[in-house]
Amino acid sequence: IYAEFDIMGRSLKAQMKYADKAGARFVLVVGDNEIAEGVAELRDMRGGERVKVELTVESITKAIKG
């Protein structure tokens, strides 16, 4: 799994545009609240589906593979 994260402080909208241009299939949205809760939103950039996933490798991998 190849991953990138934003270090430039861009808005979420700008980051989503970048991910779309870069051809990302999925985007995992993780902020301070998500870290505190242990759950994040995984977005399918092709179909627009959004699902909540636990912040574990197993949970994220399972959601990506379907």
Side-chain angles (χ1 to χ4, degrees):
I1 296 175
Y2 174 77
E4 287 188 32
F5 63 96
D6 183 63
I7 59 171
M8 297 175 59
R10 293 179 285 191
S11 68
L12 182 59
K13 183 177 179 179
Q15 291 178 56
M16 289 296 171
K17 283 184 181 181
Y18 172 79
D20 190 42
K21 282 184 181 179
R25 172 69 199 274
F26 295 97
V27 172
L28 185 67
V29 180
V30 182
D32 293 336
N33 293 338
E34 289 79 11
I35 291 171
E37 295 173 11
V39 177
E41 181 179 87
L42 181 69
R43 297 183 185 186
D44 183 335
M45 297 297 283
R46 292 185 187 164
E49 181 183 356
R50 299 176 183 192
V51 295
K52 295 284 185 177
V53 295
E54 291 181 30
L55 289 177
T56 63
V57 172
E58 294 83 11
S59 180
I60 295 166
T61 304
K62 183 178 177 183
I64 289 172
K65 289 184 178 182

